Amino acid sequence: MDYQAVLHDVWDAVRPVLGQGRVATYIPALAAVDPRRFGMALATVDGDVYGVGDWREPFSIQSISKVFTLAMALSRDGDAVWRRVGKEPSGNPFNSLVQLEYEHGIPRNPFINAGALVITDRLQQLTGDARGTLRDFLRAESGNPSVDFDPVIAASEAEHGHRNRALAHFMASYGNMESPVSEVLEHYFWQCSLAMSCADLARACGFLARHGERADGARLLTRSQAKQVNAVMLTCGTYDAAGEFAYRVGLPGKSGVGGGIIAVIPNRCGLCVWSPGLDAQGNSVAGMEALDQFTTLTGLSIF
Ligand code: DON
Protein backbone atom coordinates (compact mmCIF):
# COMPACT_ATOMS: atom_id res chain seq x y z
CA MET A 1 0.00 0.00 0.00
CA ASP A 2 1.24 3.53 -0.82
CA TYR A 3 1.04 4.95 2.73
CA GLN A 4 2.45 8.34 1.74
CA ALA A 5 -0.29 8.83 -0.87
CA VAL A 6 -2.97 7.73 1.60
CA LEU A 7 -1.73 10.22 4.19
CA HIS A 8 -1.91 13.01 1.59
CA ASP A 9 -5.49 12.01 0.78
CA VAL A 10 -6.34 12.05 4.50
CA TRP A 11 -4.75 15.50 4.88
CA ASP A 12 -6.87 16.81 1.97
CA ALA A 13 -10.00 15.27 3.48
CA VAL A 14 -9.54 16.89 6.91
CA ARG A 15 -8.90 20.44 5.63
CA PRO A 16 -12.54 21.48 6.15
CA VAL A 17 -12.39 20.69 9.89
CA LEU A 18 -8.94 22.18 10.63
CA GLY A 19 -9.25 24.88 13.28
CA GLN A 20 -12.49 23.42 14.65
CA GLY A 21 -12.71 22.66 18.36
CA ARG A 22 -10.97 24.46 21.20
CA VAL A 23 -7.48 24.11 22.55
CA ALA A 24 -7.28 22.99 26.18
CA THR A 25 -7.10 26.02 28.47
CA TYR A 26 -7.33 24.40 31.91
CA ILE A 27 -3.56 23.89 31.61
CA PRO A 28 -2.77 27.51 30.62
CA ALA A 29 0.52 26.70 28.87
CA LEU A 30 -1.35 24.45 26.40
CA ALA A 31 -3.55 27.34 25.27
CA ALA A 32 -0.69 28.98 23.36
CA VAL A 33 -0.85 26.48 20.45
CA ASP A 34 -2.44 27.31 17.08
CA PRO A 35 -5.54 25.06 16.67
CA ARG A 36 -5.06 24.85 12.88
CA ARG A 37 -1.84 22.85 13.15
CA PHE A 38 -2.11 19.33 11.74
CA GLY A 39 0.33 16.47 11.37
CA MET A 40 0.04 12.74 10.88
CA ALA A 41 2.60 9.93 10.80
CA LEU A 42 2.58 6.20 10.19
CA ALA A 43 5.43 3.92 11.30
CA THR A 44 5.43 0.36 10.01
CA VAL A 45 6.38 -2.55 12.27
CA ASP A 46 9.66 -2.71 10.33
CA GLY A 47 10.52 0.91 11.14
CA ASP A 48 9.63 2.80 7.93
CA VAL A 49 7.99 6.15 8.68
CA TYR A 50 5.69 8.26 6.51
CA GLY A 51 4.18 11.62 7.38
CA VAL A 52 2.33 14.75 6.29
CA GLY A 53 1.90 18.29 7.62
CA ASP A 54 3.48 19.08 10.99
CA TRP A 55 4.47 15.46 11.58
CA ARG A 56 7.94 16.33 12.85
CA GLU A 57 6.78 19.06 15.23
CA PRO A 58 6.91 18.15 18.95
CA PHE A 59 3.71 18.67 20.94
CA SER A 60 2.59 17.90 24.48
CA ILE A 61 1.71 14.20 24.67
CA GLN A 62 -0.42 14.56 27.84
CA SER A 63 -2.63 11.47 28.37
CA ILE A 64 -0.99 9.50 25.57
CA SER A 65 1.73 8.91 28.18
CA LYS A 66 -0.77 6.70 30.06
CA VAL A 67 -0.44 3.91 27.48
CA PHE A 68 3.29 3.69 28.01
CA THR A 69 3.23 3.86 31.82
CA LEU A 70 0.60 1.10 31.81
CA ALA A 71 2.77 -1.06 29.53
CA MET A 72 5.81 -0.53 31.74
CA ALA A 73 3.93 -1.30 34.96
CA LEU A 74 2.36 -4.43 33.38
CA SER A 75 5.72 -5.65 32.13
CA ARG A 76 7.19 -5.44 35.65
CA ASP A 77 4.18 -6.29 37.80
CA GLY A 78 1.94 -8.49 35.63
CA ASP A 79 -1.66 -9.02 36.71
CA ALA A 80 -1.01 -7.49 40.14
CA VAL A 81 -1.59 -4.11 38.42
CA TRP A 82 -5.31 -4.91 38.11
CA ARG A 83 -5.79 -5.18 41.87
CA ARG A 84 -5.70 -1.39 42.17
CA VAL A 85 -7.33 -0.29 38.93
CA GLY A 86 -10.15 -1.69 36.77
CA LYS A 87 -10.39 -2.26 33.03
CA GLU A 88 -13.93 -1.11 32.26
CA PRO A 89 -14.90 2.00 30.30
CA SER A 90 -15.95 4.81 32.62
CA GLY A 91 -18.51 6.58 30.43
CA ASN A 92 -17.37 9.69 32.31
CA PRO A 93 -14.94 12.52 31.58
CA PHE A 94 -11.22 11.82 32.08
CA ASN A 95 -10.99 13.91 35.25
CA SER A 96 -14.28 12.94 36.88
CA LEU A 97 -14.47 12.38 40.64
CA VAL A 98 -17.97 10.93 41.02
CA GLN A 99 -17.38 7.24 40.23
CA LEU A 100 -14.40 7.05 42.56
CA GLU A 101 -16.47 7.41 45.69
CA TYR A 102 -19.07 4.83 44.64
CA GLU A 103 -16.26 2.43 43.76
CA HIS A 104 -14.22 2.90 46.93
CA GLY A 105 -11.17 4.59 45.46
CA ILE A 106 -10.55 2.00 42.69
CA PRO A 107 -10.50 3.84 39.36
CA ARG A 108 -12.45 2.32 36.47
CA ASN A 109 -9.45 2.04 34.14
CA PRO A 110 -5.79 3.12 33.76
CA PHE A 111 -6.53 5.85 31.19
CA ILE A 112 -8.76 8.16 33.21
CA ASN A 113 -6.64 10.47 35.35
CA ALA A 114 -7.34 8.60 38.61
CA GLY A 115 -6.27 5.29 37.05
CA ALA A 116 -3.15 6.83 35.54
CA LEU A 117 -2.18 8.25 38.93
CA VAL A 118 -2.39 4.73 40.41
CA ILE A 119 -0.19 3.39 37.60
CA THR A 120 2.36 6.17 38.05
CA ASP A 121 2.41 5.41 41.76
CA ARG A 122 3.04 1.72 41.00
CA LEU A 123 5.77 2.53 38.50
CA GLN A 124 7.38 4.83 41.04
CA GLN A 125 7.39 1.99 43.57
CA LEU A 126 8.78 -0.45 41.02
CA THR A 127 11.51 1.77 39.55
CA GLY A 128 12.17 4.65 41.98
CA ASP A 129 11.89 7.07 39.03
CA ALA A 130 8.61 6.75 37.10
CA ARG A 131 9.10 9.77 34.86
CA GLY A 132 12.75 9.01 34.03
CA THR A 133 11.88 5.39 33.23
CA LEU A 134 9.14 6.60 30.89
CA ARG A 135 11.40 9.14 29.15
CA ASP A 136 14.17 6.59 28.58
CA PHE A 137 11.69 4.08 27.19
CA LEU A 138 10.21 6.64 24.79
CA ARG A 139 13.65 7.79 23.64
CA ALA A 140 14.57 4.19 22.84
CA GLU A 141 11.31 3.25 21.10
CA SER A 142 11.05 6.47 19.07
CA GLY A 143 14.73 6.33 18.13
CA ASN A 144 14.92 9.99 19.14
CA PRO A 145 17.38 10.61 22.00
CA SER A 146 16.24 14.24 22.34
CA VAL A 147 12.70 13.38 23.53
CA ASP A 148 12.28 15.35 26.76
CA PHE A 149 9.92 16.96 29.26
CA ASP A 150 8.65 20.51 28.84
CA PRO A 151 9.20 22.19 32.22
CA VAL A 152 6.86 25.09 31.36
CA ILE A 153 3.94 22.72 30.69
CA ALA A 154 4.76 20.64 33.79
CA ALA A 155 4.85 23.75 35.99
CA SER A 156 1.64 25.11 34.48
CA GLU A 157 -0.17 21.84 35.17
CA ALA A 158 1.23 21.60 38.70
CA GLU A 159 0.03 25.13 39.43
CA HIS A 160 -3.49 24.46 38.12
CA GLY A 161 -3.75 20.75 38.96
CA HIS A 162 -6.41 21.00 41.67
CA ARG A 163 -8.51 18.19 40.28
CA ASN A 164 -5.63 15.75 39.98
CA ARG A 165 -4.57 16.63 43.52
CA ALA A 166 -8.13 15.97 44.70
CA LEU A 167 -8.23 12.60 42.88
CA ALA A 168 -4.88 11.51 44.31
CA HIS A 169 -5.71 12.50 47.88
CA PHE A 170 -9.13 10.88 47.58
CA MET A 171 -7.54 7.59 46.52
CA ALA A 172 -4.98 7.89 49.31
CA SER A 173 -7.89 8.11 51.75
CA TYR A 174 -8.98 4.66 50.51
CA GLY A 175 -5.44 3.29 50.85
CA ASN A 176 -4.92 3.21 47.06
CA MET A 177 -1.63 5.20 46.97
CA GLU A 178 1.69 3.66 47.99
CA SER A 179 4.00 6.65 47.51
CA PRO A 180 3.50 10.12 49.00
CA VAL A 181 0.75 11.91 47.04
CA SER A 182 3.01 14.89 46.24
CA GLU A 183 5.62 12.57 44.70
CA VAL A 184 3.05 10.75 42.52
CA LEU A 185 1.58 14.05 41.31
CA GLU A 186 4.98 15.44 40.43
CA HIS A 187 5.89 12.39 38.36
CA TYR A 188 2.44 12.42 36.72
CA PHE A 189 2.66 16.12 35.73
CA TRP A 190 6.12 15.58 34.26
CA GLN A 191 5.09 12.47 32.34
CA CYS A 192 2.20 14.41 30.74
CA SER A 193 4.56 17.25 29.75
CA LEU A 194 6.74 15.09 27.47
CA ALA A 195 7.09 16.73 24.06
CA MET A 196 7.10 14.36 21.08
CA SER A 197 6.25 14.54 17.38
CA CYS A 198 3.82 12.39 15.42
CA ALA A 199 6.84 10.55 13.99
CA ASP A 200 8.20 9.86 17.49
CA LEU A 201 4.86 8.59 18.80
CA ALA A 202 3.98 6.49 15.73
CA ARG A 203 7.31 4.71 16.22
CA ALA A 204 6.94 4.52 20.00
CA CYS A 205 3.63 2.62 19.84
CA GLY A 206 5.17 0.07 17.47
CA PHE A 207 5.59 -2.46 20.29
CA LEU A 208 1.77 -2.68 20.46
CA ALA A 209 1.60 -3.46 16.73
CA ARG A 210 4.39 -6.05 17.21
CA HIS A 211 2.47 -7.88 19.96
CA GLY A 212 4.78 -6.68 22.74
CA GLU A 213 8.15 -6.67 20.98
CA ARG A 214 10.27 -3.54 21.33
CA ALA A 215 12.03 -1.75 18.47
CA ASP A 216 15.28 -3.66 19.18
CA GLY A 217 13.48 -7.03 19.17
CA ALA A 218 13.51 -7.44 22.98
CA ARG A 219 10.19 -8.39 24.53
CA LEU A 220 8.45 -5.80 26.75
CA LEU A 221 5.04 -7.49 27.04
CA THR A 222 3.78 -11.00 26.46
CA ARG A 223 1.52 -11.36 23.45
CA SER A 224 -1.40 -11.60 25.83
CA GLN A 225 -0.42 -8.41 27.70
CA ALA A 226 -0.06 -6.51 24.42
CA LYS A 227 -3.59 -7.66 23.54
CA GLN A 228 -4.77 -6.41 26.94
CA VAL A 229 -3.28 -2.93 26.45
CA ASN A 230 -4.77 -2.69 22.95
CA ALA A 231 -8.16 -3.82 24.27
CA VAL A 232 -8.16 -1.22 27.04
CA MET A 233 -7.19 1.44 24.48
CA LEU A 234 -10.13 0.43 22.31
CA THR A 235 -12.66 0.52 25.14
CA CYS A 236 -11.25 3.34 27.33
CA GLY A 237 -8.65 5.29 25.31
CA THR A 238 -10.90 8.19 24.37
CA TYR A 239 -12.96 8.31 27.60
CA ASP A 240 -16.66 8.95 27.16
CA ALA A 241 -16.12 9.04 23.38
CA ALA A 242 -14.63 5.51 23.23
CA GLY A 243 -17.81 4.14 21.61
CA GLU A 244 -17.76 6.88 18.98
CA PHE A 245 -14.04 6.30 18.33
CA ALA A 246 -14.48 2.53 17.92
CA TYR A 247 -17.47 3.15 15.64
CA ARG A 248 -15.72 5.70 13.43
CA VAL A 249 -12.11 4.49 13.49
CA GLY A 250 -12.20 0.85 14.58
CA LEU A 251 -8.70 0.77 16.08
CA PRO A 252 -7.19 0.81 19.57
CA GLY A 253 -6.44 4.49 20.20
CA LYS A 254 -5.41 6.93 22.91
CA SER A 255 -5.88 10.68 22.95
CA GLY A 256 -4.32 13.53 24.90
CA VAL A 257 -5.49 17.09 25.55
CA GLY A 258 -2.43 18.37 23.67
CA GLY A 259 -4.40 17.29 20.57
CA GLY A 260 -2.52 14.07 19.81
CA ILE A 261 -4.07 10.65 19.20
CA ILE A 262 -2.15 7.40 18.70
CA ALA A 263 -3.70 4.33 17.11
CA VAL A 264 -2.45 0.81 16.50
CA ILE A 265 -2.98 -1.56 13.58
CA PRO A 266 -1.70 -4.91 14.88
CA ASN A 267 0.92 -6.59 12.63
CA ARG A 268 1.16 -3.48 10.48
CA CYS A 269 1.88 -0.06 11.98
CA GLY A 270 1.54 2.62 14.62
CA LEU A 271 -0.24 5.86 13.73
CA CYS A 272 -0.18 9.28 15.33
CA VAL A 273 -2.16 12.37 14.42
CA TRP A 274 -1.94 15.81 15.98
CA SER A 275 -4.23 18.81 15.78
CA PRO A 276 -4.85 20.89 18.91
CA GLY A 277 -8.56 21.79 18.50
CA LEU A 278 -10.51 19.53 20.90
CA ASP A 279 -14.13 18.42 21.08
CA ALA A 280 -16.20 18.49 24.28
CA GLN A 281 -14.73 15.13 25.40
CA GLY A 282 -11.14 16.40 25.08
CA ASN A 283 -10.30 14.57 21.85
CA SER A 284 -8.80 16.25 18.77
CA VAL A 285 -11.55 17.06 16.23
CA ALA A 286 -9.28 16.85 13.18
CA GLY A 287 -7.42 13.91 14.69
CA MET A 288 -10.60 11.84 15.00
CA GLU A 289 -11.61 12.84 11.48
CA ALA A 290 -8.18 11.92 10.09
CA LEU A 291 -8.21 8.46 11.65
CA ASP A 292 -11.80 7.94 10.50
CA GLN A 293 -10.74 8.90 6.94
CA PHE A 294 -7.63 6.70 7.15
CA THR A 295 -9.48 3.52 8.07
CA THR A 296 -12.30 4.29 5.62
CA LEU A 297 -9.93 4.95 2.70
CA THR A 298 -7.68 1.94 3.39
CA GLY A 299 -10.15 -0.55 4.85
CA LEU A 300 -7.57 -1.14 7.61
CA SER A 301 -9.23 -1.60 10.98
CA ILE A 302 -9.37 -4.43 13.47
CA PHE A 303 -12.92 -5.24 12.37
O1 DON B 1 -4.12 15.42 33.95
C1 DON B 1 -4.57 16.07 33.03
O2 DON B 1 -5.67 16.61 33.08
C2 DON B 1 -3.74 16.22 31.76
N1 DON B 1 -2.34 16.24 32.10
C3 DON B 1 -3.98 15.07 30.82
C4 DON B 1 -5.42 14.90 30.41
C5 DON B 1 -5.59 14.35 29.07
O3 DON B 1 -4.73 14.43 28.21
C6 DON B 1 -6.92 13.79 28.75
N2 DON B 1 -6.99 13.37 27.37
N3 DON B 1 -7.73 13.59 26.48
Side-chain angles (χ1 to χ4, degrees):
M1 188 175 293
D2 185 344
Y3 290 129
Q4 192 60 42
V6 173
L7 291 179
H8 272 284
D9 290 345
V10 169
W11 194 13
D12 283 340
V14 299
R15 276 185 221 280
V17 304
L18 291 184
Q20 284 184 18
R22 292 173 166 216
V23 297
T25 51
Y26 76 102
I27 303 172
L30 287 179
V33 186
D34 178 352
R36 285 162 305 187
R37 306 297 296 273
F38 175 84
M40 186 166 183
L42 179 155
T44 68
V45 286
D46 303 320
D48 299 324
V49 187
Y50 305 85
V52 289
D54 302 313
W55 64 295
R56 291 193 180 92
E57 174 92 12
F59 61 88
S60 190
I61 75 169
Q62 294 296 318
S63 288
I64 297 174
S65 63
K66 295 168 181 171
V67 172
F68 304 108
T69 49
L70 172 65
M72 285 187 300
L74 254 185
S75 77
R76 288 165 171 82
D77 219 12
D79 280 349
V81 161
W82 304 116
R83 280 193 220 123
R84 295 179 52 199
V85 61
K87 40 181 132 53
E88 292 297 337
S90 68
N92 273 310
F94 60 84
N95 54 6
S96 170
L97 278 148
V98 288
Q99 242 164 11
L100 256 191
E101 182 164 21
Y102 293 127
E103 299 180 359
H104 311 291
I106 304 291
R108 270 288 170 107
N109 67 66
F111 294 155
I112 52 174
N113 288 6
L117 287 161
V118 165
I119 297 293
T120 298
D121 176 30
R122 194 66 205 122
L123 198 58
Q124 180 66 4
Q125 290 287 313
L126 291 164
T127 65
D129 179 14
R131 68 178 209 192
T133 306
L134 172 65
R135 182 188 55 186
D136 293 349
F137 175 78
L138 290 174
R139 284 180 175 173
E141 296 312 290
S142 66
N144 179 1
S146 60
V147 165
D148 221 333
F149 308 106
D150 181 332
V152 175
I153 300 274
S156 180
E157 181 158 9
E159 197 182 335
H160 298 269
H162 302 298
R163 233 168 223 267
N164 285 325
R165 285 179 205 284
L167 288 166
H169 280 289
F170 199 56
M171 289 189 290
S173 79
Y174 284 100
N176 199 10
M177 276 283 131
E178 293 178 294
S179 320
V181 165
S182 58
E183 191 178 314
V184 174
L185 285 164
E186 190 184 339
H187 281 265
Y188 172 81
F189 294 147
W190 281 90
Q191 87 179 44
C192 292
S193 84
L194 278 163
M196 295 175 72
S197 68
C198 290
D200 295 334
L201 280 165
R203 280 202 199 94
C205 62
F207 72 96
L208 290 171
R210 291 186 296 266
H211 304 284
E213 232 178 76
R214 295 184 60 164
D216 65 0
R219 187 157 281 287
L220 177 74
L221 300 175
T222 64
R223 204 179 164 96
S224 170
Q225 288 170 330
K227 177 211 69 183
Q228 292 165 1
V229 176
N230 279 321
V232 180
M233 285 170 75
L234 181 75
T235 54
C236 312
T238 43
Y239 312 107
D240 39 344
E244 173 84 2
F245 189 82
Y247 174 89
R248 286 180 62 189
V249 179
L251 292 173
K254 181 78 205 79
S255 62
V257 289
I261 308 178
I262 58 168
V264 177
I265 308 184
N267 296 318
R268 193 177 275 268
C269 63
L271 289 160
C272 180
V273 60
W274 171 58
S275 193
L278 307 179
D279 62 20
Q281 284 82 30
N283 301 310
S284 167
V285 174
M288 289 271 268
E289 177 65 19
L291 290 168
D292 180 345
Q293 289 287 342
F294 180 88
T295 54
T296 305
L297 288 171
T298 60
L300 294 172
S301 98
I302 60 166
F303 298 110

